[in-house]
Amino acid sequence: MSISRRNFIKAFGASAAVAGLGLAGCGGSGDTGSGSAAASASKLQTIRDRGVLNCGVKADVLGYGYLDTATQEYEGLEIDLCYQIAAAVFEVEYEEAKEQDLCAFTTVTPATRGTLIDSGQLDIVAATYTITPEREEDWDFSTPYRTDSVGIMVKKDNGWTSMEDLDGVTIGVSIGSTTQSLVEQMIEDEGFSCVPTFQEYQSYPEIKDALDAGMVGAFAMDRSTLNTYMDDTVELLQPEVEFGTQDYGVATEKDSDLSELVDETVNELLDNGWMDEEITTWLGESA
């Protein structure tokens, strides 16, 4: 996996991050917001006084953030990442953070991620959150921990083989995502002549249901998300056309001391191989 690094690391929080990593050492329109005018004097102290790290995660993306309805437990790479961050915040081992339930999880959507940080309800968001210049104006993002690209899912029985088959087709996308603009840019960049329309939905399951019902002709989203909804009736349209490459980062309140510790933790996990192991475990692929 190729991950671009940004020079965001600062000295603050380094000792806490190292202590917290313990055992580890052995991823639009709707969710843009104003951000915080000024971070609290110490976000870290607020969290420590509260005794739990409030985390925004996905509940419907296999391998990243998924809520098992049988156990009502969240699982995935981003869930484990939240526990690593909690370990750094509370200066405990990773396994201790899990055993002590130091993370409180809230399901987020592309439309709610930033808003819940602004309101103070969430401390971090690790939810296949794509880093964009516009979003960086309102929230801090860690160094990217995963890179993905956009895909377009269609029904196999359509017999479509080219992006040109999308002419006049309605593509389902998620409210608050960057997907529509990325698809439009790809069509322009690749020189396709098709002109699709777009329909926004609140959740990924709604888009898949709309695809199955014939209400939309395609489902466009990050390939990691689409993987959750793959079955024998669907396929990616021209998967060899890679576009919309994007980096996922952990989002936090702008200019807070938590942001620096989060970034330090993510970089440590990238450097010591823990993230590579998580990718193999949860996504079944080599980093």
Side-chain angles (χ1 to χ4, degrees), residues 26-56:
C26 301
S29 56
D31 69 351
T32 57
S34 60
S36 58
S40 57
S42 175
K43 185 74 173 179
L44 283 171
Q45 192 58 51
T46 298
I47 297 167
R48 289 165 180 158
D49 291 343
R50 184 198 307 135
V52 67
L53 180 71
N54 291 331
C55 311

Side-chain angles (χ1 to χ4, degrees), residues 151-161 204-220 222-223 225-239:
I152 300 177
M153 176 188 287
V154 297
K155 303 293 284 188
K156 287 182 179 180
D157 57 18
N158 287 334
W160 295 344
T161 59
Y204 304 136
E206 286 181 277
I207 308 176
K208 181 55 164 61
D209 288 344
L211 179 65
D212 290 339
M215 298 171 61
V216 298
F219 177 0
D222 301 354
R223 296 191 187 204
T225 299
L226 290 180
N227 186 57
T228 306
Y229 301 96
M230 292 297 295
D231 56 41
D232 293 338
T233 71
V234 298
E235 62 186 356
L236 291 183
L237 184 63
Q238 284 197 259

Side-chain angles (χ1 to χ4, degrees), residues 6 8 27 53 56 78 81-82 85 117 123-127 129 131 139-145 247-253 258-259 262-263 266 275:
R6 295 177 300 148
F8 182 82
L53 180 71
E78 291 174 330
L81 177 56
C82 287
I85 294 170
I117 294 176
D123 302 315
I124 67 172
V125 168
Y129 206 176
I131 304 168
W139 306 288
D140 285 335
F141 283 87
S142 70
T143 294
Y145 56 85
D247 294 326
Y248 296 152
V250 180
T252 50
E253 180 184 10
L258 173 63
S259 300
V262 166
D263 192 67
V266 170
M275 191 63 68

Side-chain angles (χ1 to χ4, degrees), residues 135-247:
R135 288 171 177 166
E136 287 184 304
E137 291 180 2
D138 296 312
W139 306 288
D140 285 335
F141 283 87
S142 70
T143 294
Y145 56 85
R146 184 70 172 139
T147 299
D148 198 7
S149 60
V150 176
I152 300 177
M153 176 188 287
V154 297
K155 303 293 284 188
K156 287 182 179 180
D157 57 18
N158 287 334
W160 295 344
T161 59
S162 168
M163 295 293 179
E164 297 290 11
D165 293 316
L166 296 175
D167 191 43
V169 170
T170 300
I171 300 176
V173 297
S174 177
I175 293 175
S177 72
T178 59
T179 308
Q180 178 176 339
S181 62
L182 292 172
V183 172
E184 292 173 331
Q185 188 63 51
M186 176 272 294
I187 291 173
E188 179 181 341
D189 291 344
E190 297 292 331
F192 294 117
S193 60
C194 57
V195 182
T197 59
F198 295 86
Q199 177 64 50
E200 293 186 322
Y201 290 86
Q202 289 284 351
S203 69
Y204 304 136
E206 286 181 277
I207 308 176
K208 181 55 164 61
D209 288 344
L211 179 65
D212 290 339
M215 298 171 61
V216 298
F219 177 0
M221 183 45 61
D222 301 354
R223 296 191 187 204
S224 56
T225 299
L226 290 180
N227 186 57
T228 306
Y229 301 96
M230 292 297 295
D231 56 41
D232 293 338
T233 71
V234 298
E235 62 186 356
L236 291 183
L237 184 63
Q238 284 197 259
E240 72 278 7
V241 179
E242 293 194 13
F243 69 97
T245 300
Q246 50 207 301
D247 294 326

Side-chain angles (χ1 to χ4, degrees), residues 73-95:
E73 296 287 336
Y74 288 90
E75 60 183 29
L77 179 157
E78 291 174 330
I79 307 305
D80 292 346
L81 177 56
C82 287
Y83 280 117
Q84 285 282 19
I85 294 170
V89 170
F90 292 102
E91 301 182 348
V92 299
E93 303 289 344
Y94 169 59
E95 292 298 335

